[in-house]
Amino acid sequence: MNSTSNHSHQREFELGDREFRFLASFLSRETGIILSDHKRQMVCGRLVKRLRALGIQDFTEYCAMLDGPKASAEIEHLVNAITTNITNFFREPHHFEHLRRQVLEPFAAASPRRRRLRIWSAGCSSGQEPYSIAMMIAETLKPADAWDALVLATDIDTNMLTRGANGVYTAEDAAQIPETYRKRFVRRIPSDPTHIQMGDELRRLIRFKRLNLHEQWPMKGPFDAIFCRNVAIYFDKPTQKKLFNRYCDMLSIGGMLYLGHAESLIGMNDRFEVSDKTVYRRIR
Ligand SMILES: C[S@@+](CC[C@H](N)C(=O)[O-])C[C@H]1O[C@@H](n2cnc3c(N)ncnc32)[C@H](O)[C@@H]1O
């Protein structure tokens, strides 16, 4: 959005203190996401389109709606508008190298009876992270169909999950994928040279599902690895601590937890040991 239209929407829709505090406490309660004061303009900008779509005149009316019987139907739209979904293929490449060496290769070398591999991409956004994991699996476990391998890809944002399940990305996005993987796993779309689609070999490995990390989890696990990168950074420390402990319960002993570059488990959980930079191994 350019600065002229940005200024005009700010004039049209003012997000006052009271309304901002209401939205911040609503989102923190529902999702764990913390909106500090400096995010006020960002919140205003991201919600303007939604208010217009609803034909709502101002934030007071929008907050009143979230306080009434229409709240449960509105949460999905609110959350989709507010979440930050920045991601890319093979983001923090050292994690994928670690996954190959410390999880996938030992798994492939283990007794043939050990065939079940489960990896969870928690907060997967538009799918680049689970597709990167799936490329590593398909490259390391050969032939792919001899293994019971699955990547669970979850996010709270339903728009992002639709994009992930479609597996269609711009050619520019796909340029982040190393060439050998691109040649093997990425399909051209003949009618649209500006986009590509992820191949069936990868799509078969991934299940996209909506899951709010702040609520109950239906899965039992255990997982061999969990990627939760650049997600906990939006939560406060007590929420992070609780979340990391729940991940620990979901991992097998020896399973790995991958966090984002600005996140850390140090001083938060003694059931993990450091395995590498922002990678933690469950030890008990
Ligand atoms: C910045 S993206 C990170 C994507 C990817 N993990 C990566 O590192 O590239 C953060 C994602 O976390 C999701 N998220 C935020 N709060 C969540 C919650 N309470 N439950 C599930 N997902 C959440 C957002 O919707 C967003 O897609």
Side-chain angles (χ1 to χ4, degrees), residues 169-188:
Y169 299 95
T170 63
E172 206 181 333
D173 286 338
Q176 300 149 355
I177 304 172
E179 200 183 343
T180 46
Y181 293 166
R182 211 161 56 227
K183 281 190 176 145
R184 178 169 167 198
F185 299 116
V186 168
R187 307 276 162 268
R188 287 172 205 274

Side-chain angles (χ1 to χ4, degrees), residues 31-33 83-88 91 122-125 129 155-157 160 211-214 229-231 234-235:
T31 69
I33 296 172
T83 49
T84 297
N85 307 111
I86 296 163
T87 187
N88 50 50
R91 183 179 197 182
C124 64
S125 187
E129 182 177 274
D155 203 282
I156 196 172
D157 186 330
M160 293 303 118
L211 180 70
N212 180 352
L213 293 169
H214 211 53
R229 307 183 311 157
N230 311 298
V231 178
Y234 300 104
F235 305 156

Side-chain angles (χ1 to χ4, degrees), residues 3-72:
S3 62
T4 318
S5 55
N6 208 3
H7 282 135
S8 62
H9 83 233
Q10 280 163 21
R11 273 199 307 275
E12 192 183 338
F13 291 95
E14 289 279 336
L15 177 53
D17 273 350
R18 224 169 122 235
E19 289 76 15
F20 178 68
R21 277 202 307 276
F22 175 88
L23 287 172
S25 99
F26 187 90
L27 273 157
S28 140
R29 198 171 56 244
E30 295 289 332
T31 69
I33 296 172
I34 300 296
L35 296 173
S36 43
D37 277 347
H38 70 275
K39 299 243 170 102
R40 190 197 296 208
Q41 282 319 317
M42 181 207 84
V43 171
C44 182
R46 288 183 180 180
L47 282 176
V48 162
K49 227 170 114 186
R50 182 67 196 147
L51 266 66
R52 287 212 184 101
L54 289 166
I56 279 182
Q57 302 305 316
D58 57 34
F59 278 101
T60 311
E61 195 182 336
Y62 188 60
C63 292
M65 181 180 153
L66 289 172
D67 211 11
K70 289 187 183 156
S72 55

Side-chain angles (χ1 to χ4, degrees), residues 218-283:
M219 322 78 82
K220 287 204 171 67
F223 289 92
D224 300 283
I226 298 176
F227 282 65
C228 182
R229 307 183 311 157
N230 311 298
V231 178
I233 198 169
Y234 300 104
F235 305 156
D236 61 16
K237 291 280 173 214
T239 306
Q240 289 182 6
K241 201 169 170 174
K242 207 168 132 199
L243 181 66
F244 296 147
N245 207 37
R246 291 175 82 194
Y247 284 147
C248 196
D249 293 338
M250 277 282 163
L251 282 166
S252 51
I253 300 285
M256 300 289 178
L257 176 63
Y258 297 83
L259 299 182
H261 58 93
E263 296 155 344
S264 169
L265 255 191
I266 293 166
M268 283 235 194
N269 196 309
D270 62 5
R271 298 164 71 201
F272 288 98
E273 68 178 13
V274 175
S275 173
D276 200 351
K277 199 172 117 196
T278 57
V279 186
Y280 303 87
R281 179 188 288 109
R282 178 179 175 187
I283 48 169

